[in-house]
Amino acid sequence: MPIDRIVQCLLASALLAGCASRPVNERIAQVDSQAGYRPHLLLPKRENNDLHTLFVLSFSGGGTRAAAFSYGVLEELRRTRITADGKPRTMIDEVDTITGVSGGSFTALAYALYGERLFAEYEQRFLKRDVQGALLGRSLNPFNWHRFIGGSAGRSELAADYYDEILFEGATFSDLLGKTRVPIAIATGTDISTGSRLAFFQNDFDLLCSDLSTVRLARAAATSSAVPVVLSATTWNNYGGTCGFQFPAWVADVTRSGHERPAARAIQRYHEMQAFQNSQDRPYIHLVDGGVADNIGVRGVLEALEELSASAAFQGQVGFGAVRRIVLVVVNARSAPRTDWDKRESPPGTVAQLLQASGVPIDRYSFETVELMKDRAEISKWRRELRVAQARLAGMSEAQAEASVPKISLEVLDVSFDAIADPKERDYFMNLPTSFVLQPDEVDRLREVAGRVLRQSPEFQQIVREMGGKPAP
């Protein structure tokens, strides 16, 4: 191409840059709590699934490392045979919900879309592709600048288009509504203004008075993985307060005076929900990587458990009465790359300090969240034992006391590199980069170790036995 032609194209791209526009999420005139992508509507329709057990996977952030590690867990669940209602099944059939942030959101959303097809296509379509290099190449191409420079679009919108090409095929959340053999997938973004979570399911989009069904899965994944500075925030129109939204039943219970215990997390979430409803002062919501607020995708589960325990009315509202067991598998691809800073007198540079200053609090927060969930499991047992004892003191027989207090068990499994016994092998995985490109052998090793860590977990082995299976050696 002649040089003058190249200059003309560059000038044209620069002029068009100011016109970059984003997709606009659609408005709803009235909330319909009996329609849309909502767990309480979709879970009862699941096929080959025990309604008494709520089985939740949470997939952490961490780029392709997290996507491959979480995929390895799905592969192991698919290999694990159980027997339920006298019929052979696999453990993956029991998974009800998958929460995902950043890299983990790709695996969660892709499985919700593909189902069994995921295990034939995901590796080549995403895990073993140089996604990072392709995105960099597209962002440096001047012919693409008009799509993400200026206006309300950004690099994350360019990324979303690419994810559609290689993985999501233009699918929207409406395409997930009729799928009864796959879990509910919930990706999460972070409101950069307030630090609040906004999840991609209709319950949260009701806060914005917006229709999730027309939102592309690719844009949800791009939002959940929009690392600040590296990628742009995605912008969403906020129509909150205009569609007759009613707060869920737990709000009235946790905010009334005389409640037996201040449900601090639930109350905090209520305040966040109020802020989303204020579209007059906040007509736009800017979302970044879900890992900024919660890098393991567990905070929403923790808050939901608090809301359910604080409000019997809310339990009835979402049909929670049949659940007798909750299993939460936290798939955490946290890394801890080595540094040589402590061997030198001079401190690390500014960029290194900034990266470490953001990464360390996220890892510490993730650790505390997992421990909180484990503590909650123990506290739930103690609380039930106390209530049974109180019933016995009130004159009930042991059988009557046991029957008077519903028994709901909570089991929390932590699947992470920390469980790898060999220090050298653990160090290898801890030093894999957080990026969207890995070598094929690195992907394969992540898949293998994920399955092995889950398979060797004593807690997982016990769950397999209780669900009519035989743990693999």
Side-chain angles (χ1 to χ4, degrees):
M1 181 182 293
I3 189 66
D4 59 337
R5 180 59 176 162
I6 295 175
V7 172
Q8 290 175 13
C9 291
L10 291 175
L11 288 173
S13 295
L15 290 172
L16 288 170
C19 303
S21 60
R22 60 179 172 86
V24 175
N25 48 302
E26 293 186 12
R27 185 177 200 148
I28 55 174
Q30 181 65 44
V31 168
D32 182 356
S33 62
Q34 297 305 307
Y37 197 66
R38 304 176 191 271
H40 79 275
L41 298 180
L42 300 176
L43 289 178
K45 300 177 182 178
R46 292 290 317 282
E47 298 180 25
N48 296 333
N49 186 268
D50 178 9
L51 292 178
H52 299 297
T53 298
L54 181 62
F55 199 121
V56 181
L57 302 177
S58 71
F59 292 165
S60 78
T64 299
R65 184 185 67 247
F69 194 59
S70 57
Y71 179 61
V73 166
L74 289 181
E75 289 182 304
E76 183 62 28
L77 292 172
R78 181 171 175 256
R79 288 190 291 263
T80 305
R81 302 287 179 177
I82 60 172
T83 301
D85 300 326
K87 299 178 181 178
R89 298 181 188 171
T90 61
M91 187 66 85
I92 202 170
D93 292 326
E94 296 303 318
V95 178
D96 297 296
T97 303
I98 305 177
T99 66
V101 295
S102 198
S105 71
F106 287 87
T107 307
L109 291 169
Y111 182 49
L113 177 64
Y114 283 21
E116 186 66 19
R117 176 183 156 205
L118 182 84
F119 301 101
E121 300 184 26
Y122 192 47
E123 284 181 65
Q124 299 306 318
R125 276 181 171 257
F126 188 76
L127 294 180
K128 294 183 177 179
R129 185 187 292 265
D130 184 358
V131 173
Q132 187 164 298
L135 290 177
L136 180 61
R138 292 189 177 206
S139 65
L140 293 178
N141 184 343
F143 294 98
N144 286 327
W145 291 351
H146 70 280
R147 300 171 61 189
F148 68 94
I149 298 178
S152 56
R155 293 183 302 281
S156 289
E157 304 296 355
L158 186 72
D161 290 344
Y162 178 64
Y163 302 149
D164 253 339
E165 291 177 24
I166 65 172
L167 187 62
F168 294 112
E169 302 174 338
T172 66
F173 280 90
S174 65
D175 293 308
L176 304 184
L177 292 176
K179 297 181 180 294
T180 59
R181 298 185 65 88
V182 293
I184 312 303
I186 303 177
T188 304
T190 303
D191 179 353
I192 194 62
S193 298
T194 65
S196 303
R197 293 177 299 100
L198 187 76
F200 285 85
F201 69 130
Q202 188 58 53
N203 304 54
D204 270 14
F205 266 62
D206 286 347
L207 296 169
L208 308 183
C209 290
S210 184
D211 184 6
L212 179 70
S213 67
T214 61
V215 173
R216 291 179 297 144
L217 303 184
R219 195 169 188 232
T223 297
S224 189
S225 58
V227 178
V229 180
V230 177
L231 290 164
S232 62
T234 60
T235 299
W236 303 78
N237 283 31
N238 183 13
Y239 315 107
T242 66
C243 60
F245 172 79
Q246 298 292 317
F247 287 102
W250 61 262
V251 170
D253 286 325
V254 302
T255 56
R256 64 178 167 82
S257 59
H259 189 268
E260 64 178 23
R261 175 187 176 273
R265 296 183 192 90
I267 292 173
Q268 173 64 22
R269 183 57 182 167
Y270 167 55
H271 293 322
E272 293 173 355
M273 294 164 74
Q274 287 180 307
F276 283 123
Q277 284 275 283
N278 182 14
S279 61
Q280 183 172 352
D281 294 331
R282 307 185 68 205
Y284 304 103
I285 303 296
H286 306 284
L287 301 180
V288 296
D289 193 313
V292 174
D294 171 20
N295 199 44
I296 53 175
V298 171
R299 296 301 297 191
V301 179
L302 179 61
E303 290 169 7
L305 290 176
E306 182 164 295
E307 293 154 9
L308 288 164
S309 65
S311 174
F314 183 54
Q315 292 180 27
Q317 192 176 56
V318 297
F320 192 73
V323 175
R324 292 292 173 263
R325 182 183 202 179
I326 302 171
V327 177
L328 172 63
V329 181
V330 183
V331 184
N332 186 3
R334 178 187 73 88
S335 66
R338 291 185 304 270
T339 70
D340 61 353
W341 299 339
D342 297 337
K343 296 181 179 180
R344 297 177 296 176
E345 182 178 359
S346 58
T350 301
V351 174
Q353 289 185 54
L354 285 172
L355 292 173
Q356 189 76 348
S358 62
V360 169
I362 287 175
D363 288 341
R364 296 288 181 179
Y365 185 65
S366 298
F367 170 79
E368 290 298 331
T369 300
V370 173
E371 292 305 307
L372 271 173
M373 291 300 299
K374 292 179 179 179
D375 290 344
R376 187 171 189 89
E378 290 300 314
I379 291 170
S380 296
K381 295 178 184 177
W382 299 339
R383 181 179 294 178
R384 184 178 185 277
E385 290 172 1
L386 177 60
R387 289 178 176 173
V388 169
Q390 290 173 331
R392 292 293 307 277
L393 289 173
M396 289 186 183
S397 67
E398 182 176 353
Q400 289 172 329
E402 287 285 345
S404 69
V405 184
K407 186 176 182 180
I408 302 177
S409 66
L410 171 61
E411 296 153 72
V412 181
L413 284 69
D414 183 14
V415 180
S416 66
F417 303 140
D418 293 312
I420 300 173
D422 184 342
K424 290 185 177 179
E425 185 183 26
R426 184 171 59 250
D427 188 61
Y428 167 83
F429 289 107
M430 285 289 194
N431 279 277
L432 288 177
T434 300
S435 67
F436 275 111
V437 56
L438 289 175
Q439 294 301 312
D441 66 302
E442 293 172 331
V443 169
D444 290 339
R445 290 189 65 176
L446 281 161
R447 293 166 50 207
E448 188 279 329
V449 79
R452 181 173 12 121
V453 168
L454 179 62
R455 186 168 58 251
Q456 295 177 351
S457 163
E459 294 86 357
F460 181 68
Q461 292 175 1
Q462 182 62 27
I463 290 171
V464 172
R465 292 188 192 96
E466 292 172 355
M467 299 186 86
K470 182 179 180 181

